[in-house]
Amino acid sequence: MIFDKLLTVVKNGDMADIFTIIDSSFAGDPLVGKMMMVYSDKAAAGELDKAVMEELLQAVKNTVWVSPMIICQECGEKQLRIFWDKVVNKNSAIVLGGGHISQPLVQILALLDFAVTVIDDRPEFANTLRFPEAKEVICDSFQQALKKVTIDSGTAVIIVTRGHRYDLDCLRVAMHSNARYLGMIGSRKRVREALALLEEEGAPLDLKERLKAPIGLAIHAETPAEIAVSIAAEVVSVFRGGYGGSLSKEEVRYGSGHTK
Amino acid sequence: MDQAILNSICESLYRGEGAALITIVATRGSTPRKAGSKMILFPDGRTIGTIGGGCGEAEVKRQALLAFDEKSSRLYTVNMLNEAAADEGMVCGGLMEVFIQII
């Protein structure tokens, strides 16, 4: 069964393409609903004829998949419409620091379907009792712990440790990753100083552009929970390619909103 | 397609229960969710995931239950453009094509 195979792929953290025939010019075509999958090594499996699978593979060879889409394909006399999807792994978030912002932040990120890892070097802050929604809580020095976690283009790295010095330690490691979101807490002044220091040390050139610091969207957050909302909103905005302003202000430029 | 959806499908298959996998395959204009969003519907009406909720989703659920009875996968278009849709409270004003796959 193809769903079994797809589940194995996603459990192993691998990728696979999924092709589903959704429409045919031939009424009542039994092909509608049939699927094929392609592993990352290009091996194909599924419920379609070998010949049809080969044809389809040829047809998509030069197409770059960006988001789920429909492709049209001739198959003998028939015209088929095929939905092209991929298995996706859950996005992940690394929260560095287990303080009082982290608690609501981890709750919100879990609600947003991130697999959250919390890191702190103090056992009284880095424990699963404090973070029941986290996938993993690591109690270790920040540098050591950062070596153990996977950071990729589906990861948000959020630096909110108890001290400026620790924040810098984390940033020194995280700035070399390809994390989708990289944010660090701190006042404008502190951030400026930190960036200047890292520049001297030879930080990647795009760090200034990329680093979200001071962290979060401008909603005048004060309480830990409000700051967590501000940070989480910025994470969503980066992952979804949003602007981060009010929809009522930017309706024309940024789409018509998210209402039903 | 993510692990949560795949888990639910595989579990229902092991139980021999059957399910409809509902996927948004294309949207036009303003719709609550975009292509690739998925929902599973079980024969007893339980659902996992969402394709946007509201009247549009309810309409698709009815179609999926029909598809169950006829054991045939099909495409269905939800129109949220016209006045009828606005009267029913579908205020997004877009068009959404969903594929109902019987598994």
Side-chain angles (χ1 to χ4, degrees):
Chain A
M1 193 64 205
I2 197 160
F3 291 107
D4 273 341
K5 295 191 179 110
L6 289 170
L7 185 59
T8 310
V9 165
V10 75
K11 276 185 176 164
N12 292 335
D14 278 340
M15 293 292 285
D17 293 275
I18 311 164
F19 297 92
T20 309
I21 298 179
I22 57 169
D23 200 11
S24 165
S25 57
F26 175 68
D29 193 336
L31 275 181
V32 171
K34 294 273 190 278
M35 298 171 88
M36 146 176 148
M37 64 180 281
V38 181
Y39 291 94
S40 45
D41 65 359
K42 301 292 169 215
E47 310 153 331
L48 304 175
D49 285 344
K50 266 235 155 66
V52 181
M53 291 209 263
E54 280 297 323
E55 252 178 64
L56 190 54
L57 279 177
Q58 279 299 320
V60 299
K61 211 172 60 182
N62 297 317
T63 312
V64 179
W65 187 94
V66 183
S67 60
M69 63 173 166
I70 295 175
I71 48 176
C72 293
Q73 169 80 8
E74 300 228 349
C75 177
E77 311 243 293
K78 283 185 290 196
Q79 188 74 37
L80 298 176
R81 286 172 77 209
I82 297 158
F83 185 63
W84 184 4
D85 200 357
K86 276 185 194 283
V87 291
V88 287
N89 289 300
K90 222 176 180 179
N91 289 324
S92 59
I94 318 274
V95 177
L96 293 144
H100 48 284
I101 292 172
S102 300
Q103 267 191 311
L105 180 61
V106 170
Q107 289 179 337
I108 297 169
L109 289 171
L111 198 62
L112 295 170
D113 217 19
F114 281 82
V116 189
T117 302
V118 185
I119 298 172
D120 203 303
D121 53 0
R122 302 163 294 175
E124 64 273 32
F125 287 88
N127 61 71
T128 46
L129 273 179
R130 202 169 147 78
F131 296 103
E133 301 88 357
K135 189 197 80 178
E136 194 182 5
V137 181
I138 302 176
C139 184
D140 203 342
S141 81
F142 292 106
Q143 288 114 313
Q144 280 303 318
L146 274 168
K147 280 184 200 154
K148 287 184 219 156
V149 295
T150 311
I151 300 177
D152 58 30
S153 60
T155 309
V157 175
I158 299 158
I159 306 175
V160 285
T161 75
R162 65 183 173 285
H164 178 57
R165 186 163 57 88
Y166 301 98
D167 287 340
L168 260 178
D169 287 345
C170 294
L171 187 55
R172 276 196 189 92
V173 181
M175 68 184 182
H176 296 293
S177 73
N178 64 338
R180 177 101 63 103
Y181 174 95
L182 178 59
M184 184 180 77
I185 203 157
S187 65
R188 254 170 234 291
K189 182 165 169 284
R190 283 267 191 228
V191 168
R192 218 170 25 238
E193 288 165 3
L195 281 171
L197 179 64
L198 290 180
E199 239 163 63
E200 268 175 40
E201 292 174 13
L205 290 172
D206 65 342
L207 182 64
K208 219 169 177 169
E209 279 292 299
R210 185 177 163 219
L211 180 69
K212 303 291 184 190
I215 201 168
L217 295 185
I219 56 171
H220 280 212
E222 284 189 17
T223 68
E226 286 171 1
I227 295 167
V229 166
S230 156
I231 297 172
E234 189 174 51
V235 170
V236 171
S237 161
V238 166
F239 272 68
R240 295 284 194 194
Y243 157 70
S246 264
L247 288 168
S248 61
K249 293 264 161 53
E250 300 291 347
E251 192 160 350
V252 180
R253 268 176 73 193
Y254 298 102
S256 54
H258 47 65
T259 52
K260 289 204 180 75
Chain B
M1 208 181 293
D2 63 19
Q3 185 165 355
I5 288 280
L6 284 166
N7 255 329
S8 309
I9 294 173
C10 289
E11 277 169 19
S12 83
L13 287 171
Y14 292 140
R15 286 196 305 265
E17 185 182 28
L21 173 62
I22 300 165
T23 308
I24 301 180
V25 292
T27 64
R28 215 176 324 140
S30 178
T31 57
R33 299 204 66 189
K34 301 298 170 199
S37 301
K38 287 182 168 61
M39 180 173 101
I40 303 173
L41 174 73
F42 296 102
D44 61 5
R46 270 179 309 126
T47 56
I48 292 171
T50 176
I51 53 166
C55 302
E57 185 172 292
E59 191 181 323
V60 171
K61 272 172 75 174
R62 281 196 297 277
Q63 287 299 323
L65 289 169
L66 265 176
F68 252 132
D69 291 342
E70 293 165 13
K71 293 194 169 41
S72 75
S73 302
R74 65 190 60 175
L75 267 179
Y76 183 73
T77 304
V78 186
N79 187 340
M80 298 181 261
L81 285 170
N82 55 25
E83 269 175 41
D87 287 346
E88 278 192 43
M90 290 189 267
V91 294
C92 254
L95 206 76
M96 170 165 102
E97 206 175 3
V98 298
F99 185 62
I100 302 166
Q101 186 178 359
I102 304 301
I103 50 181

PDB file of all heavy atoms in Angstrom, chain B residues 89-103:
ATOM      1  N   GLY B  89     -22.918  32.558   4.110  1.00  0.00           N
ATOM      2  CA  GLY B  89     -21.863  32.940   5.035  1.00  0.00           C
ATOM      3  C   GLY B  89     -20.466  32.610   4.548  1.00  0.00           C
ATOM      4  O   GLY B  89     -19.511  32.672   5.297  1.00  0.00           O
ATOM      5  N   MET B  90     -20.343  32.219   3.265  1.00  0.00           N
ATOM      6  CA  MET B  90     -18.996  31.981   2.736  1.00  0.00           C
ATOM      7  C   MET B  90     -18.502  33.291   2.157  1.00  0.00           C
ATOM      8  O   MET B  90     -18.801  33.643   1.031  1.00  0.00           O
ATOM      9  CB  MET B  90     -19.032  30.893   1.648  1.00  0.00           C
ATOM     10  CG  MET B  90     -19.313  29.521   2.212  1.00  0.00           C
ATOM     11  SD  MET B  90     -19.117  28.216   1.002  1.00  0.00           S
ATOM     12  CE  MET B  90     -20.769  28.059   0.398  1.00  0.00           C
ATOM     13  N   VAL B  91     -17.769  34.011   2.961  1.00  0.00           N
ATOM     14  CA  VAL B  91     -17.469  35.385   2.586  1.00  0.00           C
ATOM     15  C   VAL B  91     -16.098  35.564   1.938  1.00  0.00           C
ATOM     16  O   VAL B  91     -15.668  36.674   1.697  1.00  0.00           O
ATOM     17  CB  VAL B  91     -17.582  36.325   3.811  1.00  0.00           C
ATOM     18  CG1 VAL B  91     -19.007  36.373   4.278  1.00  0.00           C
ATOM     19  CG2 VAL B  91     -16.668  35.866   4.916  1.00  0.00           C
ATOM     20  N   CYS B  92     -15.410  34.451   1.672  1.00  0.00           N
ATOM     21  CA  CYS B  92     -14.070  34.603   1.120  1.00  0.00           C
ATOM     22  C   CYS B  92     -14.076  35.087  -0.314  1.00  0.00           C
ATOM     23  O   CYS B  92     -13.258  35.880  -0.715  1.00  0.00           O
ATOM     24  CB  CYS B  92     -13.308  33.288   1.195  1.00  0.00           C
ATOM     25  SG  CYS B  92     -12.072  33.335   2.485  1.00  0.00           S
ATOM     26  N   GLY B  93     -14.988  34.574  -1.101  1.00  0.00           N
ATOM     27  CA  GLY B  93     -15.095  35.024  -2.479  1.00  0.00           C
ATOM     28  C   GLY B  93     -14.123  34.373  -3.420  1.00  0.00           C
ATOM     29  O   GLY B  93     -13.648  34.990  -4.359  1.00  0.00           O
ATOM     30  N   GLY B  94     -13.799  33.112  -3.225  1.00  0.00           N
ATOM     31  CA  GLY B  94     -12.885  32.425  -4.131  1.00  0.00           C
ATOM     32  C   GLY B  94     -13.477  31.143  -4.670  1.00  0.00           C
ATOM     33  O   GLY B  94     -14.650  30.838  -4.463  1.00  0.00           O
ATOM     34  N   LEU B  95     -12.630  30.413  -5.363  1.00  0.00           N
ATOM     35  CA  LEU B  95     -13.024  29.148  -5.988  1.00  0.00           C
ATOM     36  C   LEU B  95     -12.019  28.098  -5.531  1.00  0.00           C
ATOM     37  O   LEU B  95     -10.825  28.367  -5.476  1.00  0.00           O
ATOM     38  CB  LEU B  95     -12.928  29.328  -7.503  1.00  0.00           C
ATOM     39  CG  LEU B  95     -13.802  28.467  -8.376  1.00  0.00           C
ATOM     40  CD1 LEU B  95     -15.221  29.000  -8.325  1.00  0.00           C
ATOM     41  CD2 LEU B  95     -13.299  28.541  -9.815  1.00  0.00           C
ATOM     42  N   MET B  96     -12.524  26.926  -5.190  1.00  0.00           N
ATOM     43  CA  MET B  96     -11.622  25.932  -4.628  1.00  0.00           C
ATOM     44  C   MET B  96     -11.946  24.581  -5.250  1.00  0.00           C
ATOM     45  O   MET B  96     -13.097  24.149  -5.251  1.00  0.00           O
ATOM     46  CB  MET B  96     -11.846  25.940  -3.116  1.00  0.00           C
ATOM     47  CG  MET B  96     -11.237  24.875  -2.316  1.00  0.00           C
ATOM     48  SD  MET B  96     -11.287  25.373  -0.568  1.00  0.00           S
ATOM     49  CE  MET B  96     -12.665  24.389  -0.005  1.00  0.00           C
ATOM     50  N   GLU B  97     -10.935  23.948  -5.829  1.00  0.00           N
ATOM     51  CA  GLU B  97     -11.135  22.632  -6.419  1.00  0.00           C
ATOM     52  C   GLU B  97     -10.563  21.593  -5.456  1.00  0.00           C
ATOM     53  O   GLU B  97      -9.409  21.702  -5.045  1.00  0.00           O
ATOM     54  CB  GLU B  97     -10.411  22.562  -7.770  1.00  0.00           C
ATOM     55  CG  GLU B  97     -11.005  21.570  -8.710  1.00  0.00           C
ATOM     56  CD  GLU B  97     -10.349  21.610 -10.099  1.00  0.00           C
ATOM     57  OE1 GLU B  97      -9.390  22.381 -10.313  1.00  0.00           O
ATOM     58  OE2 GLU B  97     -10.797  20.858 -10.958  1.00  0.00           O
ATOM     59  N   VAL B  98     -11.378  20.612  -5.085  1.00  0.00           N
ATOM     60  CA  VAL B  98     -10.894  19.586  -4.158  1.00  0.00           C
ATOM     61  C   VAL B  98     -10.989  18.217  -4.813  1.00  0.00           C
ATOM     62  O   VAL B  98     -11.876  17.964  -5.615  1.00  0.00           O
ATOM     63  CB  VAL B  98     -11.682  19.569  -2.819  1.00  0.00           C
ATOM     64  CG1 VAL B  98     -11.528  20.865  -2.077  1.00  0.00           C
ATOM     65  CG2 VAL B  98     -13.147  19.240  -3.036  1.00  0.00           C
ATOM     66  N   PHE B  99     -10.042  17.354  -4.454  1.00  0.00           N
ATOM     67  CA  PHE B  99     -10.107  15.978  -4.926  1.00  0.00           C
ATOM     68  C   PHE B  99     -10.496  15.090  -3.756  1.00  0.00           C
ATOM     69  O   PHE B  99      -9.886  15.142  -2.690  1.00  0.00           O
ATOM     70  CB  PHE B  99      -8.755  15.531  -5.505  1.00  0.00           C
ATOM     71  CG  PHE B  99      -8.817  14.161  -6.109  1.00  0.00           C
ATOM     72  CD1 PHE B  99      -9.648  13.901  -7.198  1.00  0.00           C
ATOM     73  CD2 PHE B  99      -8.061  13.126  -5.595  1.00  0.00           C
ATOM     74  CE1 PHE B  99      -9.723  12.629  -7.758  1.00  0.00           C
ATOM     75  CE2 PHE B  99      -8.117  11.848  -6.156  1.00  0.00           C
ATOM     76  CZ  PHE B  99      -8.955  11.602  -7.234  1.00  0.00           C
ATOM     77  N   ILE B 100     -11.541  14.320  -3.986  1.00  0.00           N
ATOM     78  CA  ILE B 100     -12.026  13.396  -2.959  1.00  0.00           C
ATOM     79  C   ILE B 100     -11.569  12.004  -3.362  1.00  0.00           C
ATOM     80  O   ILE B 100     -12.002  11.466  -4.375  1.00  0.00           O
ATOM     81  CB  ILE B 100     -13.572  13.454  -2.863  1.00  0.00           C
ATOM     82  CG1 ILE B 100     -14.026  14.882  -2.540  1.00  0.00           C
ATOM     83  CG2 ILE B 100     -14.076  12.458  -1.824  1.00  0.00           C
ATOM     84  CD1 ILE B 100     -15.513  15.123  -2.752  1.00  0.00           C
ATOM     85  N   GLN B 101     -10.641  11.472  -2.562  1.00  0.00           N
ATOM     86  CA  GLN B 101     -10.033  10.195  -2.906  1.00  0.00           C
ATOM     87  C   GLN B 101     -10.513   9.130  -1.928  1.00  0.00           C
ATOM     88  O   GLN B 101     -10.273   9.228  -0.727  1.00  0.00           O
ATOM     89  CB  GLN B 101      -8.503  10.343  -2.837  1.00  0.00           C
ATOM     90  CG  GLN B 101      -7.727   9.147  -3.312  1.00  0.00           C
ATOM     91  CD  GLN B 101      -6.226   9.408  -3.240  1.00  0.00           C
ATOM     92  OE1 GLN B 101      -5.786  10.494  -2.844  1.00  0.00           O
ATOM     93  NE2 GLN B 101      -5.444   8.418  -3.597  1.00  0.00           N
ATOM     94  N   ILE B 102     -11.194   8.121  -2.441  1.00  0.00           N
ATOM     95  CA  ILE B 102     -11.700   7.050  -1.580  1.00  0.00           C
ATOM     96  C   ILE B 102     -10.579   6.026  -1.372  1.00  0.00           C
ATOM     97  O   ILE B 102     -10.029   5.507  -2.338  1.00  0.00           O
ATOM     98  CB  ILE B 102     -12.939   6.375  -2.221  1.00  0.00           C
ATOM     99  CG1 ILE B 102     -14.016   7.411  -2.531  1.00  0.00           C
ATOM    100  CG2 ILE B 102     -13.481   5.276  -1.314  1.00  0.00           C
ATOM    101  CD1 ILE B 102     -14.508   8.195  -1.341  1.00  0.00           C
ATOM    102  N   ILE B 103     -10.245   5.787  -0.093  1.00  0.00           N
ATOM    103  CA  ILE B 103      -9.147   4.851   0.164  1.00  0.00           C
ATOM    104  C   ILE B 103      -9.577   3.738   1.115  1.00  0.00           C
ATOM    105  O   ILE B 103     -10.587   3.837   1.755  1.00  0.00           O
ATOM    106  CB  ILE B 103      -7.907   5.569   0.742  1.00  0.00           C
ATOM    107  CG1 ILE B 103      -8.300   6.450   1.914  1.00  0.00           C
ATOM    108  CG2 ILE B 103      -7.244   6.413  -0.329  1.00  0.00           C
ATOM    109  CD1 ILE B 103      -7.146   7.200   2.510  1.00  0.00           C
TER     110      ILE B 103
END
